[in-house]
């Protein structure tokens, strides 16, 4: 389970009643993360791989691949970010919302995407729209309405991994509202974090753009005061979340084409 980060609880893999899917990429068997239930409890899937699938080692020893890059154009119907974690359960896109806190915020999928299929609507969404294109509708019931998308770094049990080799994160995106990239920690990894989290602010952009966010841009969401070193945080990251917030009754549209290690979202221009 994740440590509490701000007002978010973490989504994990879904159950077979519309909350889990299996995809395959080439010869690798993949199982999907929760797309439709805002934030299911870990281990809710009877068919999900056991935690023994991941190495039994400390978070700091679980070093993620340094050249991580998810590009919607190369997703191949998986809806999965290849992180270097357990290939069967890590990296699948799922949605998060304030529903676990009594809120009513939701993500609105395009009308031509079947959200009731057995499994995740993200592969179809990514294939048709060449990225994750959604509308966040912020509802009443929670004082800080939010919704967004996320993926697990190491496995569906949300064990932490060491993402420091990424050097930061890059995004190819557009959004009608400001949002944050939030690093969700493994439960209990850094007790002094309490309900805080490390986030980087992402400005709204009416047109698609590529931006880099080095680790120094990630700040403790609780502001000034006692805070762990970012280098310690980076050794225990369980989820990466794109989190959108707004007043109840408002909406925000966003599109994500790429997310990766810092610098990798930029198009490579062949040498003359």
């Amino acid at each position: 389970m994740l440590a509490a980060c701000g007002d978010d609880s973490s989504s994990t893999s879904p159950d077979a009643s519309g909350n889990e899917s299996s995809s395959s990429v080439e010869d690798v068997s993949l199982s999907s993360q929760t797309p439709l239930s805002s934030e299911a409890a870990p281990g809710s899937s009877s068919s999900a791989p056991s935690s023994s699938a991941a190495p039994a080692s400390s978070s700091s020893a679980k070093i993620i691949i340094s050249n991580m890059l998810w590009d919607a154009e190369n997703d191949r119907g998986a809806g999965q970010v290849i992180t270097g974690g357990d290939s069967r359960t890590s990296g699948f896109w799922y949605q998060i919302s304030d529903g676990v806190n009594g809120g009513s915020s939701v993500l609105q999928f395009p009308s031509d995407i079947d959200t009731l299929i057995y499994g995740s609507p993200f592969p179809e969404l990514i294939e048709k729209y060449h990225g994750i294109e959604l509308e966040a509708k912020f509802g009443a019931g929670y004082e800080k309405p939010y919704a967004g998308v996320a993926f697990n770094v190491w496995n569906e049990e949300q064990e932490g991994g060491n993402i420091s080799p990424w050097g930061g994160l890059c995004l190819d995106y557009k959004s009608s509202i400001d949002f944050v990239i939030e690093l969700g920690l493994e439960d209990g990894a850094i007790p002094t974090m309490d309900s805080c989290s490390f986030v980087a602010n992402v400005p709204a952009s009416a047109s698609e753009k590529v931006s880099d966010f080095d680790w120094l841009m990630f700040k403790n969401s609780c502001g000034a005061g006692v805070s762990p070193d970012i280098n310690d945080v980076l050794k225990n990251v369980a989820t990466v979340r794109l989190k959108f917030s707004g007043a109840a009754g408002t909406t925000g549209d966003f599109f994500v084409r790429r997310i990766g290690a810092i610098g990798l979202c930029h198009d490579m221009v062949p040498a003359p």
Side-chain angles (χ1 to χ4, degrees), residues 1-120:
M1 291 288 294
L2 279 181
C5 290
D7 300 300
D8 189 16
S9 297
S10 142
S11 297
T12 57
S13 63
D15 58 34
S17 60
N19 290 328
E20 178 175 342
S21 67
S22 295
S23 307
S24 64
V25 177
E26 296 179 346
D27 295 327
V28 181
S29 175
L30 306 172
S31 67
S32 175
Q33 299 294 338
T34 307
L36 298 179
S37 97
S38 308
E39 299 171 283
S44 61
S45 169
S46 59
S47 61
S50 68
S51 59
S52 61
S57 57
S58 66
S59 296
S60 60
K62 297 172 183 173
I63 299 177
I64 304 303
I65 59 174
S66 61
N67 61 341
M68 182 276 289
L69 174 65
W70 177 80
D71 186 334
E73 300 293 342
N74 299 319
D75 184 75
R76 297 174 295 177
Q80 183 189 26
V81 181
I82 304 301
T83 63
D86 179 359
S87 63
R88 294 171 295 176
T89 66
S90 67
F92 292 97
W93 287 106
Y94 58 84
Q95 60 181 303
I96 59 174
S97 81
D98 55 25
V100 294
N101 303 111
S104 56
S105 300
V106 297
L107 290 179
Q108 181 67 52
F109 284 75
S111 59
D112 60 340
I113 300 299
D114 183 1
T115 59
L116 300 179
I117 60 173
Y118 175 84
S120 169

Side-chain angles (χ1 to χ4, degrees), residues 98 104-105 135-142 145 246-252:
D98 55 25
S104 56
S105 300
E135 179 183 55
K137 292 186 173 183
F138 306 113
Y142 184 61
T250 65
T251 63

Side-chain angles (χ1 to χ4, degrees), residues 84-262:
D86 179 359
S87 63
R88 294 171 295 176
T89 66
S90 67
F92 292 97
W93 287 106
Y94 58 84
Q95 60 181 303
I96 59 174
S97 81
D98 55 25
V100 294
N101 303 111
S104 56
S105 300
V106 297
L107 290 179
Q108 181 67 52
F109 284 75
S111 59
D112 60 340
I113 300 299
D114 183 1
T115 59
L116 300 179
I117 60 173
Y118 175 84
S120 169
F122 281 95
E124 181 184 9
L125 175 70
I126 293 164
E127 182 177 4
K128 286 187 175 181
Y129 288 81
H130 306 285
I132 297 173
E133 185 166 340
L134 295 169
E135 179 183 55
K137 292 186 173 183
F138 306 113
Y142 184 61
E143 63 177 343
K144 299 177 181 178
Y146 71 87
V149 294
F151 61 88
N152 292 337
V153 169
W154 191 258
N155 59 17
E156 66 182 347
E157 275 69 36
Q158 296 186 333
E159 296 179 63
N162 185 349
I163 67 171
S164 57
W166 295 347
L169 288 167
C170 67
L171 276 180
D172 182 336
Y173 78 98
K174 64 179 178 179
S175 176
S176 64
I177 58 175
D178 297 345
F179 62 102
V180 299
I181 307 172
E182 182 177 59
L183 305 180
L185 301 184
E186 180 178 344
D187 186 28
I190 303 180
T192 57
M193 284 294 289
D194 193 25
S195 61
C196 305
S197 60
F198 269 73
V199 300
N201 295 315
V202 185
S205 177
S207 59
E208 189 173 343
K209 65 182 291 187
V210 174
S211 295
D212 287 313
F213 305 86
D214 67 45
W215 295 138
L216 293 179
M217 297 174 70
F218 285 77
K219 305 298 183 182
N220 189 334
S221 62
C222 289
V226 178
S227 178
D229 188 281
I230 183 63
N231 294 309
D232 292 330
V233 170
L234 296 174
K235 295 175 183 177
N236 297 280
V237 175
T239 68
V240 174
R241 308 168 184 150
L242 306 182
K243 191 172 179 181
F244 301 78
S245 302
T250 65
T251 63
D253 301 308
F254 65 94
F255 172 78
V256 178
R257 189 185 302 277
R258 295 172 181 155
I259 185 169
I262 196 166

